[in-house]
Amino acid sequence: MNHVAVVPVLVGPLQVLLTILPGLLLGLAVALLGFFRPRSMWNAAKLLWRQKIPIAGLIAVGAALAWAGARLAPVPAANEREIAAADWPMARGDIARSGSVLGGGSAVGPDWGGLVWSHRSGSEAFFASPAIVGNRVYVTSARLGAFNESGEIYCFDADSGAVVWKTAPPGYRATFSSPVVSGDRLVVGEGLHLTRDSRVVCVDVSEKSAGRIVWTFRTNSHVECTPVIAQDRVVVGAGDDGYYCLSLAEDPAAPGRPRVLWHLPGEKYPDAETSLAVHEGKVYAGLGMGGGALCVIDLQSGGELARQAMPYPVFSPPSIAGGRLYLGMGNGDYVKSAETLRAQESTRLSEAGAKPDEIAAAMEKLKTAGEVRCIDTATMKTLWRFTLPETVMGAVSVAADSVYFGCRDGSVYRVGLDGQPLGSWNTRAAMVTSLALTEKHVYAMNSAGMLFGLDRHTLRPEWEFRAGSEPLFISSPVAARGHVYVGTQVDGFLCAGQAGAGAGAGEKIALWGGAGGGAGPMLEVGE
């Protein structure tokens, strides 16, 4: 039987190359040795000396061009700091998790895409979500290396993209935690999931001392959680080290440190990394892998007031509005889908000698599924459940008449306050981030790096913008000042979109139905 193959076609040329390769390497070695002989180096030096004037001229021209390029390149300038009407004391800015700042004449957000400015330095990634106060954007960065990783805390001018300041305590690691701001204090965590001794960091953001590290507090695990500042206290989850409540002010008896007001151990509160909610003196905390619960904790004492088991791990920060709490959950995380986690757990159990029925029970528990739940905050009773095909990692954003959220199945959902579906739109790639909500728009970032501007009521796409092409896209967008701000892993920190920069009144714009378009009909956007 004759066998057809491609590789044997290379055998003839490859044999010839292998035959002459030793001679080529020997010739190269002889040439290098000859160059480094004293006489050869002397001849080369004399040649360079004879051509010293042209060479000096070329060096001078190159230096002049480099100097001119550095001086003539546009350098963004920072504007004077604005006095903000509101702080950013928790994840997504407020307890309704709107992810937007609607003051300062920017109530509608951008209605057209496009890049406004970007910042990237070397291999810097931005996994965290920004906090925006006035015309200042605060966000953490991450530099990942084979032998070292590091991060910084940035303050950008929201309009120009200028770096107002950047800071970090010594040895600050690559960070996912997002900053929160109250008055002149910024608080943020440190580290990624495998960091074992992450810190909580407090920074002075006042004009006089901007960027000064006020205090740091070291935990025994990672601090991916976004803290909450409430009543001059900082409440934060520290992964396997449970929850901490710290004083916002520096401890007078221990300069450079806060006071620990209470600590709840990780043994009782496993996987404490979900961003928290503080409302009416109570802390609402969702537990992730190994926890699968919603806990209610007294802010002053740290005593547990209630605990309600959930069918899945909780990574969605609780949202509260009108006496109701909204919570997303499901199997899967920011990086791995439920299918991947199931396969890994099945392999682990098999290698550990687990019985088939034990493996089957574990696989059922890790099935691909998700849910959004509405709970009465007074009674802690579940009012309704909205089942989903995959997990909800981001926050549920609450509006006056409905709630919005993204799902790992790639869709943005709108659900009524009674739990009834009002619409959805598929972005064609998984979503693990929170949405940004304004009066007229919903802004969503998917795992393919596409940023979408959707009509808030119909969820029809009005514009899309490719923020990046390489993962990870786990930074959630924030809408403010007529723009959308979001981080990427490879393409830096971005400001995109323009308010009032789209089509004129009555003009219709043809858009693809989703990222990549497809064979279906195009959408007509406009009145």
Side-chain angles (χ1 to χ4, degrees):
M1 180 180 294
N2 294 326
H3 297 277
V4 179
V6 176
V7 175
V9 176
L10 299 175
V11 171
L14 186 59
Q15 287 177 333
V16 174
L17 177 61
L18 292 174
T19 302
I20 66 173
L21 184 59
L24 291 174
L25 293 176
L26 180 60
L28 179 60
V30 171
L32 288 173
L33 288 173
F35 176 79
F36 285 106
R37 288 185 303 178
R39 184 174 183 82
S40 299
M41 296 180 68
W42 173 251
N43 290 335
K46 289 195 297 183
L47 177 62
L48 291 174
W49 178 254
R50 286 196 296 266
Q51 302 297 323
K52 58 182 178 296
I53 295 177
I55 292 174
L58 289 174
I59 293 174
V61 169
L65 289 174
W67 180 87
R71 295 299 184 273
L72 296 177
V75 177
N79 299 304
E80 185 177 347
R81 183 188 183 197
E82 295 178 359
I83 302 300
D87 291 327
W88 192 278
M90 66 187 72
R92 312 307 296 153
D94 54 47
I95 204 161
R97 312 295 184 182
S98 65
S100 62
V101 180
L102 300 183
S106 57
V108 296
D111 53 15
W112 195 248
L115 182 66
V116 179
W117 57 259
S118 66
H119 172 86
R120 182 172 183 263
S121 176
S123 59
E124 202 167 43
F126 291 87
F127 299 133
S129 303
I132 300 181
V133 180
N135 61 342
R136 296 293 184 255
V137 180
Y138 305 97
V139 70
T140 56
S141 69
R143 282 190 175 90
L144 304 177
F147 303 102
N148 186 34
E149 64 175 50
S150 63
E152 290 182 296
I153 303 166
Y154 273 93
C155 173
F156 294 108
D157 184 284
D159 300 322
S160 69
V163 177
V164 182
W165 52 261
K166 60 180 178 178
T167 190
Y172 191 66
R173 271 77 62 89
T175 295
F176 173 70
S177 176
S178 300
V180 293
V181 180
S182 179
D184 287 334
R185 293 292 182 264
L186 176 151
V187 181
V188 70
E190 176 193 33
L192 302 178
H193 194 71
L194 297 180
T195 311
R196 294 292 88 188
D197 58 347
S198 295
R199 291 167 290 182
V200 184
V201 181
C202 179
V203 181
D204 190 329
V205 298
S206 66
E207 278 298 297
K208 184 178 179 180
S209 304
R212 179 180 66 89
I213 304 299
V214 179
W215 54 255
T216 64
F217 176 79
R218 191 173 296 277
T219 73
N220 294 311
S221 188
H222 54 271
V223 185
E224 295 178 296
C225 173
T226 295
V228 178
I229 301 176
Q231 300 180 21
D232 293 326
R233 295 175 172 226
V234 175
V235 188
V236 63
D240 298 330
D241 196 20
Y243 294 108
Y244 284 91
C245 181
L246 310 171
S247 62
L248 179 59
E250 183 181 25
D251 186 353
R257 287 175 55 86
R259 288 183 297 124
V260 179
L261 303 177
W262 49 259
H263 173 222
L264 303 180
E267 292 79 11
K268 189 176 179 181
Y269 298 88
D271 206 21
E273 57 188 35
T274 301
S275 300
L276 308 168
V278 176
H279 182 64
E280 295 181 346
K282 299 176 182 178
V283 180
Y284 295 86
L287 298 177
M289 299 296 294
L294 172 67
C295 301
V296 186
I297 302 162
D298 183 79
L299 175 62
Q300 296 299 318
S301 67
E304 185 176 293
L305 303 175
R307 179 181 291 230
Q308 188 172 119
M310 295 293 157
Y312 310 106
V314 178
F315 294 108
S316 171
S319 311
I320 299 177
R324 295 182 172 192
L325 181 146
Y326 302 89
L327 194 66
M329 64 193 80
N331 288 322
D333 58 31
Y334 282 100
V335 179
K336 298 174 183 177
S337 65
E339 292 90 341
T340 301
L341 292 175
R342 288 178 86 244
Q344 291 179 346
E345 182 65 7
S346 177
T347 300
R348 187 190 70 81
L349 291 173
S350 297
E351 293 176 348
K355 297 178 180 179
D357 57 337
E358 294 174 335
I359 297 176
M363 294 304 97
E364 174 63 23
K365 189 175 181 180
L366 291 174
K367 65 183 180 181
T368 303
E371 180 179 302
V372 166
R373 186 172 293 206
C374 175
I375 299 171
D376 186 297
T377 56
T379 64
M380 292 301 292
K381 291 183 178 179
T382 296
L383 301 178
W384 53 259
R385 301 175 182 178
F386 191 87
T387 58
L388 293 153
E390 296 198 47
T391 187
V392 175
M393 298 293 299
V396 178
S397 298
V398 187
D401 57 350
S402 50
V403 298
Y404 300 79
F405 52 88
C407 179
R408 222 184 199 285
D409 70 349
S411 292
V412 176
Y413 288 87
R414 182 188 178 202
V415 176
L417 298 183
D418 57 358
Q420 296 303 306
L422 297 178
S424 66
W425 186 74
N426 195 285
T427 72
R428 310 298 194 266
M431 284 194 63
V432 296
T433 56
S434 300
L435 306 172
L437 193 66
T438 64
E439 291 183 1
K440 294 185 178 181
H441 298 94
V442 177
Y443 303 100
M445 171 77 97
N446 69 13
S447 61
M450 294 300 300
L451 177 64
F452 298 95
L454 312 178
D455 181 275
R456 178 171 141 178
H457 300 289
T458 66
L459 297 185
R460 293 177 62 176
E462 294 194 351
W463 57 267
E464 62 183 45
F465 169 72
R466 179 165 291 285
S469 57
E470 297 184 40
L472 292 167
F473 297 101
I474 56 178
S475 171
S476 296
V478 170
R481 307 180 72 81
H483 307 302
V484 174
Y485 303 83
V486 70
T488 70
Q489 180 174 353
V490 176
D491 296 274
F493 186 78
L494 312 177
C495 171
Q498 295 278 3
E507 182 181 350
K508 290 187 177 182
I509 314 161
L511 284 182
W512 290 110
M522 300 179 79
L523 302 175
E524 295 293 336
V525 179
E527 296 296 326

